[in-house]
Amino acid sequence: MIFLDNAGTTKMFKECVETYSHFACEEFYNPSAVSRQSAFVHEKLEGVRKLILKKLGATEGTVIFTGGATESNNLAIKGAVRNGNFEYIFSNGEHPSVFNVAKNLELNGKKIIFCKLDKTGKIDLADLESKLNQNVRLISCMLVSNETGAINDIKQISALREKYSPKALLHVDAVQGFMKIPFSVENLKIDMLTFSAHKFHGPKGVGGLYVRKLSYIKNIVDGGGQEYGLRSGTENVAGIMAMATAIEKIDVKKNFEYVSKLKSLFNEKLTGIEGIDILDFHGSPYIEVLVFHGVKGETMLHALAEKGVIVGLGSACSAKKAGNRILQEIGINKDNIISSCRISFNAYMTEREIEEATNIIAEVYKDIKERVS
Ligand code: PMP
């Protein structure tokens, strides 16, 4: 099986399973309890916080462990909303775990402003600039699009925020960027950042929210006051430790270069095949979109799966819903959207697998085309 849906999720590293097992069955203590054993586990979690801060290039702030990116995004946004006549800005390209939170806040009477994406899939900076003002209290935008791989110009967004909306916090959903593309929260002046372990070979249901200052947000669930009172509930120690194992194993720069090579090879092999178009947004090397003219993306997906190649159909979280909000926003025509599949790589695949996948894709497409015409 060749898995090309790594933006949806990734296979967990064996080493993470070992760590998980150790902290689930051996050192399984509650980090908030008072025994020496618990204190040890508590220290381990503090170590993971430090490790993540280092990887993020953060010189201040902390990490709140959560049950994944959906929860982190909810916490960052709902936690930052205040009473008063303030404005909150989101992009039209956001994942449903941001976009639907924004929509619900709007239904509840908050002033929510959405800004456009340009043709390259990035946030339209002129549109953003026109919407910024002194009343804005939050700008939430993703680093890398899970649909297209486009990378937003966070540095420029930060600069615009500083100029027009100095009281606004900048929250970045970096699920498709953390441990995949090099960046630093310090350079980009990010106040809050979301990440999720299962996108970089860690376990599902574990992630976190980086916050430069704890005072930026209020808790959204009440309970025992764990995680600085911002995320009550006993921490998923085994999951967090397994996530740390994945973080320690990954060399972001090396993987970035290798995946760039894989993507070039993949595109080279598919270039020139009649009826197949590559929508490469020249952002993250990990993600791109293929258009299979005359065939539904869903038909291709199932036919490829029969031959052992797994591709995606846009965001897995919203794949069952009709249409693709993001591709539509970028101006891709409806027929192309219906005929599209998302391809997403990981850094542990071989060039041989890539070549094999392209051969199967070409064959399967030719086969279906012949049958439908
Ligand atoms: N944001 C982005 C950009 C994503 O790609 C995803 C996963 N598809 C999420 C948030 C949600 O992540 P999780 O599965 O950890 O809740």
Side-chain angles (χ1 to χ4, degrees):
M1 191 266 291
I2 304 172
F3 190 68
L4 292 174
D5 193 19
N6 293 277
T9 197
T10 55
K11 181 167 154 180
M12 189 152 74
F13 289 143
K14 287 262 168 15
E15 294 92 323
C16 296
V17 182
E18 281 157 25
T19 304
Y20 192 98
S21 171
H22 179 80
F23 284 94
C25 304
E26 310 294 330
E27 293 187 280
F28 56 85
Y29 312 104
N30 188 325
S32 302
V34 285
S35 68
R36 178 174 59 78
Q37 287 80 355
S38 283
F40 174 81
V41 169
H42 174 83
E43 278 314 301
K44 285 278 175 193
L45 293 191
E46 294 314 302
V48 180
R49 271 189 246 280
K50 283 200 190 113
L51 170 72
I52 294 171
L53 289 176
K54 194 164 157 236
K55 293 286 169 187
L56 286 170
T59 53
E60 54 178 334
T62 190
V63 166
I64 300 157
F65 295 121
T66 67
T70 298
E71 188 191 334
S72 300
N73 285 339
N74 272 265
L75 176 60
I77 299 162
K78 291 176 186 164
V81 167
R82 297 282 180 267
N83 288 330
N85 193 24
F86 299 125
E87 298 175 21
Y88 305 90
I89 297 192
F90 301 85
S91 92
N92 276 335
E94 299 306 306
H95 182 270
S97 59
V98 168
F99 194 75
N100 291 340
V101 175
K103 283 281 178 197
N104 274 330
L105 287 173
E106 194 172 36
L107 283 177
N108 286 320
K110 295 290 174 197
K111 188 157 184 202
I112 305 296
I113 298 162
F114 290 100
C115 61
K116 293 188 224 159
L117 301 184
D118 63 22
K119 295 267 174 272
T120 67
K122 292 187 216 159
I123 291 173
D124 183 325
L125 294 177
D127 188 51
L128 174 66
E129 185 168 356
S130 74
K131 285 165 177 165
L132 290 172
N133 65 64
Q134 297 280 343
N135 272 338
V136 177
R137 287 296 178 274
L138 177 74
I139 302 165
S140 179
C141 60
M142 69 210 316
L143 178 60
V144 177
S145 167
N146 55 300
E147 302 279 355
T148 64
I151 301 178
N152 281 319
D153 189 345
I154 304 290
K155 197 155 197 177
Q156 201 49 38
I157 292 171
S158 248
L160 290 173
R161 178 266 301 258
E162 236 162 83
K163 190 166 172 197
Y164 299 103
S165 305
K167 289 191 178 154
L169 296 171
L170 177 61
H171 166 245
V172 172
D173 175 349
V175 166
Q176 302 292 347
F178 182 59
M179 299 314 297
K180 293 184 178 189
I181 66 164
F183 69 90
S184 123
V185 293
E186 216 58 41
N187 278 347
L188 301 178
K189 301 207 167 106
I190 294 169
D191 298 311
M192 297 192 277
L193 180 136
T194 291
F195 58 91
S196 181
H198 75 104
K199 307 292 183 171
F200 54 87
H201 307 278
K204 293 173 182 50
V206 192
L209 180 70
Y210 161 75
V211 281
R212 188 186 297 280
K213 287 200 169 70
L214 290 166
S215 58
Y216 290 160
I217 49 171
K218 292 188 176 132
N219 61 309
I220 56 172
V221 285
D222 292 311
Q226 289 92 337
E227 297 298 298
Y228 311 96
L230 291 171
R231 202 277 187 176
S232 284
T234 304
E235 288 89 348
N236 178 358
V237 174
I240 294 164
M241 296 311 296
M243 167 167 72
T245 296
I247 292 172
E248 272 163 348
K249 184 172 162 165
I250 291 170
D251 180 333
V252 175
K253 246 183 117 205
K254 196 168 138 222
N255 284 1
F256 184 92
E257 279 159 23
Y258 179 64
V259 174
S260 300
K261 216 168 102 186
L262 292 183
K263 190 188 200 182
S264 299
L265 176 66
F266 185 86
N267 289 352
E268 196 185 291
K269 292 278 165 194
L270 289 179
T271 299
I273 296 180
E274 211 189 304
I276 301 182
D277 270 346
I278 300 159
L279 300 186
D280 185 352
F281 291 86
H282 303 289
S284 165
Y286 285 82
I287 304 175
E288 68 179 16
V289 176
L290 288 184
V291 177
F292 300 100
H293 294 285
V295 178
K296 276 190 180 164
E298 203 174 336
T299 308
M300 275 304 289
L301 180 146
H302 290 301
L304 286 170
E306 285 300 307
K307 300 272 179 194
V309 176
I310 315 279
V311 300
L313 205 62
S315 168
C317 315
S318 57
K320 293 207 173 75
K321 293 194 188 143
N324 182 313
R325 173 173 56 82
I326 317 294
L327 296 182
Q328 238 165 306
E329 165 78 15
I330 298 170
I332 312 288
N333 78 45
K334 236 184 171 143
D335 286 344
N336 286 355
I337 293 175
I338 290 169
S339 297
S340 69
C341 286
R342 181 184 65 184
I343 303 293
S344 45
F345 308 99
N346 74 62
Y348 304 91
M349 326 181 59
T350 63
E351 292 186 15
R352 215 195 135 110
E353 279 181 299
I354 292 294
E355 288 188 23
E356 204 179 319
T358 55
N359 289 339
I360 294 171
I361 290 169
E363 268 168 38
V364 166
Y365 178 64
K366 191 167 158 257
D367 215 48
I368 298 177
K369 275 291 275 196
E370 274 169 13
R371 273 190 280 136
V372 292
S373 60

